[in-house]
Amino acid sequence: MTRARRLTVLGAAAALAGSMVAIPAAAGSAAPPRPDAARGRATAAPEKSPVAVGYGGAVSSVDADASAAGISVLRKGGNAVDAAVATAAALGVTEPYSAGIGGGGYFVYYQARSHSIRTLDGRETAPRSAGKDLFLENGTPLPFDQAVTSGLGVGTPGTPATWDAALRTWGSRSLGQVLGPARKLAADGFTVDATFRQQTADNEARFRDFPATAGLFLPGGKLPAVGSTLKNPDLARTYGELANNGVGALYDGAVGQDIVRTVRKPPVRPGSTRRVRPGKLTAGDLRAYRALSQAPTHTRYRGLDVYGMAPSSSGGTTVAEALNILEKSDLSRLSEKQYLHRYLEASRIAFADRGRWVGDPAQENVPTRGLTSQRFADSRACLIRDDKALTSPLAPGDPRHPKPCGSTGKAAPTTYEGPNTTHLTVADKWGNVVAYTLTIEQTGGSGIVVPGRGFLLNNELTDFSFAPADPAVHDPNLPGPGKRPRSSMSPTIVLRHGRPVVALGSPGGATIITTVLQTLVNHLDRGMPLADAIAAPRASQRNAAQTELEPALWNSPLRTQLEALGHAFKPNPEIGAATGVQRLPDGRWLAAAEKVRRGGGSAMVVHPK
């Protein structure tokens, strides 16, 4: 390998970061103080910027209020873990349709002192009474939308336990301290933007069927106006209860009792014609819940160490396998057509293997080491031809016994997964980094707000397969007692010689994996600065007959060129909404977020420079 090539593949992040110093110093500065909400006027949201550079730590999320909450904790001496929880709690206020204490997620942490990566699996769990027939009636799968808007789809929330475990293990502040900014935000209110109003409009019909939901998100019986202030005093009180009594208030206390009551007897509006099936969640299910500390996935790529989330998430294994497949391709020298073709094929293959092998490792035999091995990836990479696209659904390989171009069993299509979620990325002045993806599943979750508590319940159990896609093919993602549904969440941290290069993640259901993969390849191989790698148009192939394309690629000559190889496409107006942080060679942090998707993200640093 030439010296120039080594610079490209090993030093891309550092070399490219140096080219970004011309960003205006004021970009991404922390938010100014919010006006006094007691005056009754709409509070101004902090200004959004997709890029920020400076010292003292960085926060990147989809929302400016949430990023500002994390920055405020960093400014007061908190570390990255403290700031990540503060940011997540604020997202529960301003992004309640994507995240909140009624959901779950995955937390990946880089500890600068030990140069090590640790993770927490805070995925929701099925009730211990759940069987494989959870979503079957008379042997037939329920319609998806009916399963979503029900008590059946609600899993035991994992987000509060994740916050508690992260703070107790790695944090420097108490839960009560880091919940402070979010409590104030919920009490004072946040400014409604066009994205929030549209998401409310998309859910309006079902929100109206639940009085607690309508009362919170349809003030005065109407959609919230853009520019108005939306307050959530119930959530402020709930956060106060968690601050004073700990997360036991949810897992073994009054908040939990309200959750169980709501799941088992959904509070539907009198006169509603909607059939809302009750769930079977119990107080015992809440008491039994634990956020799991576990080792990350790991693979080497271009001399870098790529760490992700191990099962029950499929993100870490699938991103790792696709990168390993691409390892022997010099993506920096390929044309755009050749690069996209290889990227799509690697993703197609990795998703075929994901579907066959990945589920909850507590109940499934998941060959994580094999899925992330270079040997297995090499045995699958030989399927890729430069002159012809593969056909989906593609049969999986066997990571336990890799054979060149081999497959095992029948091909099965990828099952459906909802497109929402949120992600945040944080770094602190000591060099610690957090990549944290959290969710309540669909936009608006189950649609059911817990009365008097101010948060939506998840519909996470609909991430299970309702039935096998093919009865002849084992499906590791069928429901089971206490089982965690497979996820695509892919919080990722990349190190060089034990030190951070870049950390990132995204929402987007199964497109999370392809978003993270494509952003990594754009940045590390194709030479794009992180903000540009995030903003670049996306394509998502998930072992499906058609690849999804954002408009810039759909309307590009590249589509025709790839169709000539046998690729088939369908449009998707928006794929993912990534955030990331990057350590620059001079010690500064660069935070990056979306420029346009979901209304643009919010990158901030403590001391812009």
Side-chain angles (χ1 to χ4, degrees):
M1 183 181 289
T2 66
R3 180 181 181 279
R5 177 63 182 144
R6 283 197 298 271
L7 175 62
T8 299
V9 300
L10 299 181
L16 291 168
S19 70
M20 302 183 73
V21 297
I23 295 168
S29 58
R34 298 172 63 84
D36 184 358
R39 299 173 187 168
R41 293 197 296 268
T43 56
E47 185 177 346
K48 278 189 175 183
S49 173
V51 181
V53 180
Y55 296 100
V59 180
S60 184
S61 79
V62 74
D63 179 75
D65 282 309
S67 294
I71 288 291
S72 71
V73 170
L74 293 177
R75 278 186 164 164
K76 294 175 182 177
N79 66 21
V81 172
D82 306 323
V85 175
T87 304
L91 286 168
V93 180
T94 61
E95 291 286 308
Y97 305 152
S98 299
I101 57 174
Y106 297 95
F107 193 101
V108 178
Y109 170 59
Y110 167 77
Q111 186 177 62
R113 184 177 68 250
S114 62
H115 306 295
S116 63
I117 302 283
R118 307 289 292 278
T119 76
L120 289 170
D121 179 333
R123 184 66 157 159
E124 301 88 338
T125 57
R128 290 172 296 177
S129 61
K132 292 183 179 180
D133 61 350
L134 179 64
F135 293 112
L136 301 181
E137 284 189 358
N138 301 318
T140 301
L142 290 175
F144 187 77
D145 62 336
Q146 293 183 30
V148 167
T149 309
S150 76
L152 278 178
V154 180
T156 304
T159 291
T162 302
W163 295 354
D164 185 63
L167 291 170
R168 288 178 180 274
T169 309
W170 309 304
S172 67
R173 300 291 187 269
S174 69
L175 179 62
Q177 288 174 308
V178 300
L179 286 179
R183 288 177 68 184
K184 187 175 189 305
L185 187 60
D188 292 353
F190 66 94
T191 303
V192 172
D193 63 12
T195 299
F196 187 88
R197 178 184 166 86
Q198 184 58 55
Q199 289 177 337
T200 309
D202 293 342
N203 282 281
E204 182 177 5
R206 65 182 187 136
F207 280 6
R208 290 194 182 280
D209 282 334
F210 301 99
T213 309
L216 176 57
F217 297 124
L218 297 169
K222 298 179 181 180
L223 290 171
V226 173
S228 66
T229 299
L230 188 71
K231 300 181 181 182
N232 192 340
D234 286 346
L235 183 58
R237 286 190 291 270
T238 301
Y239 277 169
E241 197 162 336
L242 295 178
N244 295 329
N245 302 320
V247 298
L250 189 145
Y251 292 103
D252 193 20
V255 179
Q257 292 169 8
D258 290 343
I259 290 174
V260 170
R261 186 181 305 112
T262 303
V263 170
R264 297 180 70 89
K265 190 176 181 180
V268 183
R269 171 179 59 83
S272 170
T273 59
R274 185 184 301 273
R275 182 182 177 188
V276 182
R277 293 167 176 83
K280 298 181 179 180
L281 189 72
T282 68
D285 292 320
L286 292 178
R287 286 194 297 270
Y289 186 85
R290 298 293 183 273
L292 305 177
S293 176
Q294 61 188 46
T297 59
H298 171 244
T299 194
R300 295 275 293 172
Y301 184 70
R302 316 292 195 205
L304 305 172
D305 292 286
V306 181
Y307 292 92
M309 196 67 219
S312 57
S313 177
S314 64
T317 57
T318 311
V319 169
E321 181 181 349
L323 287 174
N324 288 338
I325 289 171
L326 294 169
E327 177 81 32
K328 294 184 178 179
S329 298
D330 188 350
L331 301 181
S332 68
R333 297 179 182 272
L334 296 180
S335 68
E336 194 74 6
K337 167 193 165 185
Q338 293 170 322
Y339 146 64
L340 285 171
H341 171 65
R342 298 271 183 95
Y343 153 70
L344 294 175
E345 297 295 76
S347 181
R348 187 195 311 270
I349 294 167
F351 264 88
D353 299 327
R354 163 197 186 263
R356 169 59 182 85
W357 298 105
V358 182
D360 183 349
Q363 299 188 30
E364 299 288 339
N365 184 15
V366 184
T368 301
R369 186 179 296 274
L371 286 167
T372 58
S373 72
Q374 190 64 52
R375 179 183 174 215
F376 178 57
D378 290 345
S379 76
R380 301 289 279 160
C382 63
L383 294 170
I384 298 176
R385 292 175 48 179
D386 285 336
D387 62 342
K388 185 178 180 181
L390 293 163
T391 301
S392 290
L394 186 71
D398 188 343
R400 303 165 304 176
H401 307 289
K403 296 180 181 178
C405 303
S407 61
T408 179
K410 295 178 62 178
T414 300
T415 52
Y416 178 76
E417 188 175 338
N420 218 271
T421 297
T422 195
H423 178 83
L424 61 97
T425 321
V426 179
D428 64 30
K429 63 183 178 181
W430 297 283
N432 304 302
V433 179
V434 172
Y436 182 23
T437 313
L438 60 161
T439 185
I440 59 171
E441 175 47 2
Q442 293 288 114
T443 304
S446 64
I448 306 170
V449 165
V450 180
R453 294 299 181 181
F455 63 88
L456 284 155
L457 291 171
N458 70 81
N459 65 288
E460 213 62 64
L461 301 188
T462 62
D463 269 353
F464 283 122
S465 304
F466 289 15
D470 185 328
V473 180
H474 174 72
D475 188 334
N477 192 41
L478 293 173
K483 191 173 183 180
R484 298 176 187 230
R486 181 173 63 207
S487 170
S488 292
M489 288 183 269
S490 307
T492 302
I493 298 179
V494 180
L495 307 182
R496 179 189 293 108
H497 306 311
R499 299 185 183 278
V501 172
V502 66
L504 74 157
S506 176
T511 68
I512 293 172
I513 292 170
T514 58
T515 294
V516 169
L517 174 63
Q518 191 173 5
T519 303
L520 284 172
V521 172
N522 282 343
H523 182 52
L524 300 176
D525 288 290
R526 301 294 286 179
M528 294 184 187
L530 182 59
D532 293 345
I534 288 173
R538 294 187 183 128
S540 182
Q541 166 53 240
R542 307 187 299 280
N543 196 27
Q546 294 176 301
T547 294
E548 295 179 11
L549 291 184
E550 287 190 325
L553 287 173
W554 178 262
N555 297 320
S556 164
L558 285 167
R559 175 163 66 98
T560 303
Q561 296 171 20
L562 291 166
E563 286 172 339
L565 297 178
H567 290 278
F569 299 105
K570 65 179 180 179
N572 185 330
E574 185 176 277
I575 298 174
T579 76
V581 299
Q582 177 186 5
R583 188 70 158 182
L584 302 183
D586 60 7
R588 292 180 301 162
W589 287 107
L590 181 147
E594 295 288 352
K595 298 178 181 180
V596 177
R597 296 181 184 95
R598 292 202 187 183
S602 173
M604 295 183 180
V605 293
V606 175
H607 301 296
K609 188 172 182 179

